[in-house]
Structures are given as C-alpha cells and as structure tokens.
Amino acid sequence: MYHTPVLKNRRTLLERAEKFVSDIYFTDCNLRGRLYGETHPLESVSSFMSSKRITFSEAQTKKFSPYKIGDNFGPTWWTCWFKIALKIPSSWNGKEVHLLWESDGEAMVWRDDQPVQGLSKEGEKTSYILSNCLTEEEEHTVNVYVELACNGLFGAGQGSTIAAPDPNKKFSVQKAELVVFNRHVRELLTDFEMLIGIVKELGDNEQRSFQALFTVNEMVNVSNPADPSSFSKAHALAHNFFSQRNGQSQHTVHAMGHCHIDSAWLWPYEETIRKCARSWVTAIRLMEKNPEFVFTCSQAQQFEWVKNWYPGLFSEIQHFVKLGKFIPVGGTWVEMDGNLPSGESMVRQFLEGQNFFEQHFEKKCKEFWLPDTFGYSAQLPQIMKGSGISNFLTQKLSWNLVNTFPHSSFFWEGLDGSIVLTHFPPGNSYGMIGKVEDLVKTVKQNKDKGRVNHSAMLFGFGDGGGGPTQLMLDRLRRVQDTDGLPKVKMTSPDELFSQLWADSHLLCTWTGELFLELHNGTYTTQAQIKRSNRQCETLLHDIEIASSLALHHDKTFQYPVAKLRELWRLLLLNQFHDVIPGTCIEMVVEDALRYYEDINRTGAALLQISLSALSKGDTTGVFNSLPWERLEVLHLHDGPAEHGLVLVRVPSIGLSPIQDTKPQVPVCLTVQADGSVLMENGILQTVVNKDGTLASLCLMNANREAISDGCGGNQFVIFDDVPLYWDAWDVMDYHLQTRKPVVEVVKPVHVLSSHELRGSVSFTLRISGNSTITQEIVMDAMSPYIKFNTQVNWFESHKFLKVEFPVRVHSPNATYEIQFGHLQRPTHRNTSWDWARFEVWGHKWADLSEHNFGVALLNDSKYGYSVYKNTMTLSLLRAPKAPDANADMGTHNFTYAIMPHTGSFQDATVIQCAYNLNFPLRLTSCSPDMVPWSAFSISPASVILETVKQAENRKGALVIRLYEAHGGGVSVTLRSMLPVKNAWHCDLLEQIDTTQPLQVTKDGINLNFNAFQVRSLLLDYV
C-alpha cells in the first residue's frame, strides 16, 4: 500500500495543526468554526439600569424596557438588569443547548430566583448551559435574568489596567442567542490544544515532542470538520498518546481549583461581594459535573458577605465543604498585608477567620494562604503556629526584581525560632489555566528538584474573580499521567502538604523575613489610610483594656462583645493587601476612610463608657493603657495650670488623678543671635536653625553629639518618583539619584511657646509652588526625645518626600520594630540582597546603634524607612497617579521624634518611648481623693503586656497577651490587683493548654520567655 511520506518541516506541521483549531484563521473550514451549530433568536430581551447594587428580589419589581442588542448602557459601576424570555426549538431535542452571551462587564445568570452561573468574556465564560441533552419533558420556554455589572474583571481602568477608572465608560451586549453546542467538537479541540502544547513546550530536542507533532498531524488528516463521524478516529489517536504512561519517578503536580478575589482593588468592596457570588456559584456548577474537582477558597470576610447576600448559595457551599470539594483555606479574615498590620491585628486576622470557619464549616484551616501580598513578616511563623497552622502557601516572592528566591519548598523559621513548612507553587502564579505550558513550567521552575517531587498548581482566573472553567478541567483530565509531562492529581492542600512533610528530610530552612524586592512604595502610599490604621489599632487596644478592667470594677458593666467584633472586623478588612498598602482606586480609599471614621466614632463612645465605669467624680483623671509607669506632659483644655500644661505620673495599666508634679529641670528656650533657637530640658540640648534643621542634638549627661559634623538633622528632601509601571506600588532604586533638599524658607523658625513643661518652635518651608511644610518642634520636660509635629499641604505629582537625620553612629546594621519584636537589616550595599533593601518597612521605631550610643527614630503613623551608612531616613509622602489619580493629595498631619541614647536601645527604653508616642494618655473623670492604682504590671521590662481582652468563649475571663521584646530569654513576674483565681496558657485561638498549668501566688504569676516569644494567658477571676 502506498503511504504519503510525512513532511519533515516541523514548522509547517505545527502551524497546520494550529490553524486547524484557530478562532481567527480559516474558521469557515476548520474545526473551531464547528463549535456551535444552529442558532435561534431570543423571544425578548428587556432591561433597566440601576445606580446601586440591588438584590434580585428588588430587581424583579422594576420596570423593564425593550433592549436592542448592541445598544450602549452605563456608566461605570452601574448595573444593568436584563429579563430574557427564550423558547428552545423542539427540533433541538437530544442536543446540548446554551444561552450564548457575549457582553462587556461581568454578569450573573439568575434562574428560578437563584444565582446559577457567572459570565464574563475575560473569564472565558460566555455561555450558560440550559440543557446538557434536551428532552421532550424539559421546559422549552424559559425565563432568566442576567445581572450585568458595568465593570470588568479588572475594574474599568482608563487606558491601562491599573489606571484610574473611566467614570463614563459605556458597555454593551454584542451577542445574545440560543445555540446548539457541539460538545464533541469541544472535546476534540481540547485534544488538539494539549498536543500542540506538548509539541511547543517540550521543544525540538525531545523525542516526545515529535511524537506529539506526528500524532496531531495525523489527527488533522483523519478529521473532516464537516463530518462529525470522523472525529472518533482523531480522538482515538489523541487518547492513545495521552494513555502512554510515565515512570514512577515523575514529578506530581497537585492541581487545585482557585479563584483569587481581591477584597477591594480596582473595584469597590461592594462589587467584590458580587464577584464572589459569580465565581463561587460557577465553581459549584463545576463540582456538580466533575466529581474530582477540588476548589480552594480563602478569606472569611468573603464567605460572610456571601452568607448575608446569597444565603442559598452559602448553603450549597456548606454542602460541598462537607464533601471535601469546596475547601476553605487561609484561616484569616482577609488576605491581609504581610508587613503593615500590628502583631495584635495579625493575631485577630487568624482569631476571627478560624472562628468563622469552625462556626460555619465545622473545621479550622491547617494552612495559611497568602499568595499575593507584598512581603512577609518574620513573626508570621509564630503567629501561624499559635493559630493551629503549620503550613504556608504563597508565591509573591517570584516577583522579586533583583534576586531570585532559592526555594520552592522549604522550612521557614520565624523571629522566635518557630518553623512552618512553606510552599511556593513553582509556576509562580495563582491563576494558571491548565495548559501544557503551566505543567512544564511547574516542573522546570521547581527550585528543590531532588528534595521533593510534589508541587502545587493553582488554576482559575483570579484577582478580579472568575475562577476555573470546564475547559481547564478537561485539559488536566487528559494528561493525568502522560509520558513526557508531570503526573497531574486533583487534590487538596492538606494532601499536598502531607506529601511534602513526608518528603521533608532534605528540605532547606530560610530564617527571618521573606522580603519582597518590589512594591517598596506601599510602605508610604495613601498616608491617611496608614495613619488611620495605626490610630484605630491603638483605640481598639485601649477600649479592650478599659472594658476588661471595667468588667471587674463595675458588676453592672457589659463588655461590648458584638460592637468590638464589628469594629475589629472593619479594621481587619481595611488591612487587605491592596487597601492598607494604598494600591487601590479612589472609591476604595473613600470606603476605607469611612470605615475608619466609623471605628473612631463608635470606639470613642465605647472607650468613654468603659472609662466612666472605672471611675466617676468631678476631678480630672488620667488613664494609662500601657504596662509601665508614665511621666508625661499633658495639655488640658480646661486645666487650671498656665498654658493648660501639667506633668502627670500614671501607673502601669492604671488610673490616677492629676497631681501637680514639678520637673527636675525646666524646659528652656533661647533665641540666638543668628536666629537659631537653643532648646534644652536637662536631658537633651538642641539647636534649631532658621530653616528648621537641627544644627546640634546633644545628649547632655553623656556629652554626646548625635548629629554628624557639617550636617543638619531634620532635613526634608524630595525625590522624583517615577517607577517602571506599578505606580502606587513601586519606588525604584534610581529615585535616590534625584535627591533635592527642601530649602526655601517661607517663615523662619520662631518660638511658638515657652514654658517650664514644654517649649516649641515653628517654621514653614515651601516644597514647590503647590506644597508647603509647617512644623512644630516640641521639647517636653523630662522627655528623652524631641517631637516634630508636622503638617504638609501636599499637591505634587510623582514626587517622594522624606526627612533625614545624619547621625554620629557607625554600625553595619540598623534595627527596625516589627510585629511583637524587631529585626536588623544592613546599612550597607555589599551584595544584591543588601542593596535591594534600599527602602524597607518598620513600625513605630527604627534604631541605629554602636556600642554604648545610638539614635532612634520614632513615629506615630509611618512605615517606610531607609538607613544607609549613618543617615536615618523616614519616608513621609508619595504622589502616584494610578490607580488613584488623587492619591495623597491634600493636608497631612503626623508626628515623628528623634531620641539619642546611651547604652542599647533596649536599656534606653526606646521601645517604651515609641509606644508612648503612639498611645496617648486618656483623660477621664475621677474623685479627688482617689488613690492611683495599677491593674497589671510586669517585671523586668523586657516583656511587654500587649493585650487585655475578654475571652472569646468564657464570659468574665480575660485573655492577656505578652511578648518578649528585647530578643533574649527571660523570667518575669506578672502582677495584678485583680483577684485572679486560675491561670492557664492558651494559644492565639484561646484554646487552653492543660499541659502547662500556671501557679497563681500572692506575688503574681511567674513566666518564662524565649527571645521574641508571644504568650497568651487565660485568667479566671474570683
């Protein structure tokens, strides 16, 4: 028999196969052109527009008007509801029938009063299955509704994805009709697609690639698109290829359906609710058809939204959770930022998240799931372990701009030595689509070859929702065990990590933070959000402590459980990884600031109620929420003292009436001949130049000058700030080459107030024709630091404002506060790992010390720092224009402080001073004869009592949280004036550890801490 020789030109054979399935070329005669069969028009389409996101029941009551396909509607963020009447031809019996819907925006199909399917072109979901195989018994006349959001999966950016939204964008429906869907064509197209993928991805050096090439070429030969009976031959060829198995040593890819949904980003919070519903109902439909399908889903907040807005869908989710198909992961309230929230906020993310999952799904998460945040604090492993989690999955470090992270699977050791098993899916994505390219990439990019033979592949459209599709499942099903490709197993995170643990004896360990070498601008962007976050964290801390004490002081007091949970959840929501970093659109910023206002308004009332329960009378008292005695200058608006200033001493976590305390050395200000001002308080002496810079800052007892020779401290500097692409996210290293000091003096330094308790000077600088800085430099009696109360009128574009303090300290490392501790980072740029940290994050303080002397930089609302050689820099304001065109424009108020010290920063109480700057003493009322009292104290001071709150599930009991702050093991004694009956260790979820009983004695409770260890205690009272 004569055989036509196979051509040996690889390119022509490959392109022949590609054109045979192309949706662009030759669709009149290729296979793709036969995907849909007969079509039939809809009976009617009518619509109405809503400026608000309304419920389905409300939408049904509205007046619908006829809609013509192709007509425009909008604008952005509105909703167009469609009512569709359709009648399926009886001649289509036995066929698969779809409603084909191609439109802009994101859509949800409603049928029988329930959401049934999400639709979006971007998410490759453009049809709703009316019948898999139409029968005579099925209803042929059907009414459905389509709820169409006037925004895409990625919002409505004007000109680019991350640009500010176009508020006037118009939308349309391009196609809406009934179609016969040829499933056998879809199946064969998938065969072709996967084989073509193998040809391309394995390349011309692999025998298996050529086998795939000749197989797909023969499939074209035997296929006649006009004759479906020919498809079986082609399918048999593909099946034979896919059925050729791997050896036992082949890598296993654990495929998990996933749909990463940003709780807010390029769209507002409220739209995320609908994104969740559209994505998750689609996943449910896939589970009904594909019993092997597993779908992972994080963020308790999103489940809460769906529970409240879509109770029927939530019930379906609960059903599939029980079946082990819909898998809640992460254990947190939202996928929060990994750098900026406080330690206690991170604890509450897990506490609220795990409690929600246990309450509604009868299970806690075993893995922390945070694939898309901008760095990971070194305290996260300890917080995870304390929340019942030993496994961690992320992938964001694959975005590193400079250095390639060396591992895919490894042990991550945190600040205190806690270790969690960590996995970065080697494909470097949480939104793969099941193509051969994804599988090959997952194997090739595995950085721990030989150590482990298993890795994750998360598939499904993400960020803006969408999730997995049937096509993705069909792709993966074909290559479960195909020679030349990794084995593919649809599995759960628990199964993946169980396999990784079993093979973990060769894994390496990474110690310390997981620093993302990108998105460094997120430490500074949207300063008002960051300031509000810090203030609300402080307020909630104080409410809980005051309420806990009131609970045991006034038996009629009711601890505000529900209100506090509501406020905490609002705060936790705003710590989502595109909100607190400031990388969201203006609508989200407005929502976030409104939530902060709600927290402040409600929280202030709760604090006042709790303080009133603690003490009553007609004399002014002062409440201290921090666990050490404080001696500070306060300003009383109605005080009898001159200037309304008093020096008060308040015991730790306690209350005291205001008593007249005299400073050991009064504050003294002297205007010098050159116009500079000398300020001194017996501890510090500083000279403020006319332009507001510090010519000198001397620690008087030690006679140590802190400011470098020939330099000025408190030097404002401005930089050009134009990143490569990610505007609100990134500040690039080259911005440092554009440094310009702010030198134009509008109003030179002058004395604002001079009193024995407080002296202050003020000055004004011009940044540009649009922006100014006005600052008050404050020196208080008995204070070891100088405060800089700053107001900036900021109207810049792509500029970065910072303040510098060149100091007389030489050290290769600087220290930065993080959650429940601190860490060191280099002050040099020896290696690429060093210079990639030209801009870093920290919390309330940073310190640069050499032996027996150092300088600390404190702040009340900032997170961006840089310490290079001997120059300490605090980042103040940025001016990006995307995705919020008005980011940071306006007036900003903030405070920072400089604190030179002898000895170590630990012994110099830098940590306590930073707390004092952030946690104000609270004025309240008390009786004139009240004796100052302290509810809790702890010694030595290296352990900080961070939190006092009512226990979650034990009314009247208190949970207190402490951490070792100095970085060394220590034995401490906790004392309380409250009548403690029993005390237990508990974890961060407040589960009592009965293996570690605590003895309560008349002297208090003795505790042992390791370096940076966080301990939680549950206290019962008499």
Side-chain angles (χ1 to χ4, degrees), residues 956-972:
L958 297 183
V959 166
I960 66 171
R961 193 149 16 256
L962 313 98
Y963 73 95
E964 197 289 314
H966 285 186
V970 66
S971 296
V972 300

Side-chain angles (χ1 to χ4, degrees), residues 719-722 794-800 879-881 889:
F719 301 82
D720 295 337
D721 185 15
V722 184
W794 181 248
F795 297 96
E796 298 298 312
S797 178
H798 292 110
K799 299 293 182 183
F800 199 160
K881 299 303 173 186
M889 296 299 97

Side-chain angles (χ1 to χ4, degrees), residues 74-128:
T76 311
W77 309 123
W78 283 50
T79 301
C80 189
W81 283 86
F82 294 90
K83 183 191 293 184
I84 299 168
L86 56 90
K87 187 173 182 179
I88 307 172
S90 57
S91 60
W92 288 9
N93 288 349
K95 298 179 180 179
E96 184 171 338
V97 181
H98 289 199
L99 168 63
L100 186 63
W101 182 275
E102 294 183 5
S103 70
D104 306 317
E106 294 183 83
M108 171 77 91
V109 180
W110 291 80
R111 186 174 181 181
D112 299 327
D113 300 339
Q114 293 297 321
V116 291
Q117 173 73 55
L119 297 171
S120 71
K121 284 194 294 186
E122 296 165 289
E124 297 183 3
K125 301 180 185 72
T126 56
S127 67
Y128 165 60

Side-chain angles (χ1 to χ4, degrees), residues 7 125 135 160 279 325 594 656 873:
L7 297 175
K125 301 180 185 72
T135 64
S160 77
S279 303
K325 301 301 179 184
R594 190 172 64 252
S656 172
T873 305

Side-chain angles (χ1 to χ4, degrees), residues 523-524 527 530 534 842-844 859-865 874-877 892 894-895:
Y523 317 146
T524 306
K530 292 171 171 62
R534 183 82 64 83
H843 282 202
K844 298 185 290 293
N859 77 84
D860 73 344
S861 59
K862 300 301 175 184
Y863 296 89
Y865 295 89
L874 184 66
S875 297
L876 302 177
L877 293 168
H892 297 267
F894 50 85
T895 296

Side-chain angles (χ1 to χ4, degrees), residues 594-748:
R594 190 172 64 252
Y595 290 163
Y596 289 128
E597 289 173 6
D598 292 344
I599 296 169
N600 276 310
R601 183 178 57 256
T602 305
L606 292 178
L607 181 59
Q608 185 56 48
I609 292 170
S610 60
L611 290 177
S612 297
L614 278 178
S615 176
K616 294 179 175 64
D618 54 7
T619 298
T620 302
V622 186
F623 176 70
N624 172 21
S625 67
L626 296 178
W628 46 79
E629 181 182 86
R630 294 168 70 175
L631 179 65
E632 292 181 24
V633 175
L634 273 183
H635 183 269
L636 303 180
H637 296 291
D638 303 321
E642 183 184 355
H643 297 291
L645 297 173
V646 291
L647 182 62
V648 298
R649 187 183 300 274
V650 193
S652 67
I653 308 186
L655 197 147
S656 172
I658 289 180
Q659 298 170 337
D660 189 19
T661 305
K662 292 294 182 183
Q664 294 178 5
V665 179
V667 176
C668 180
L669 271 62
T670 305
V671 179
Q672 303 188 115
D674 61 358
S676 63
V677 180
L678 174 68
M679 308 174 72
E680 50 191 335
N681 68 355
I683 301 172
L684 301 174
Q685 181 187 78
T686 188
V687 176
V688 184
N689 292 322
K690 289 192 292 185
D691 62 358
T693 58
L694 304 188
S696 170
L697 176 60
C698 183
L699 192 60
M700 297 178 71
N701 287 345
N703 195 27
R704 288 292 297 262
E705 173 61 49
I707 303 299
S708 293
D709 286 337
C711 298
N714 197 41
Q715 175 66 64
F716 290 99
V717 287
I718 195 161
F719 301 82
D720 295 337
D721 185 15
V722 184
L724 299 176
Y725 176 70
W726 297 100
D727 201 354
W729 291 258
D730 287 349
V731 56
M732 311 309 296
D733 56 351
Y734 53 74
H735 87 284
L736 296 170
Q737 297 178 316
T738 68
R739 176 185 178 275
K740 296 181 183 68
V742 178
V743 296
E744 184 179 348
V745 179
V746 176
K747 192 171 186 179

Side-chain angles (χ1 to χ4, degrees), residues 130 203 421 445 689 721 1005:
L130 292 163
L421 178 58
Q445 294 179 178
N689 292 322
D721 185 15
I1005 302 171

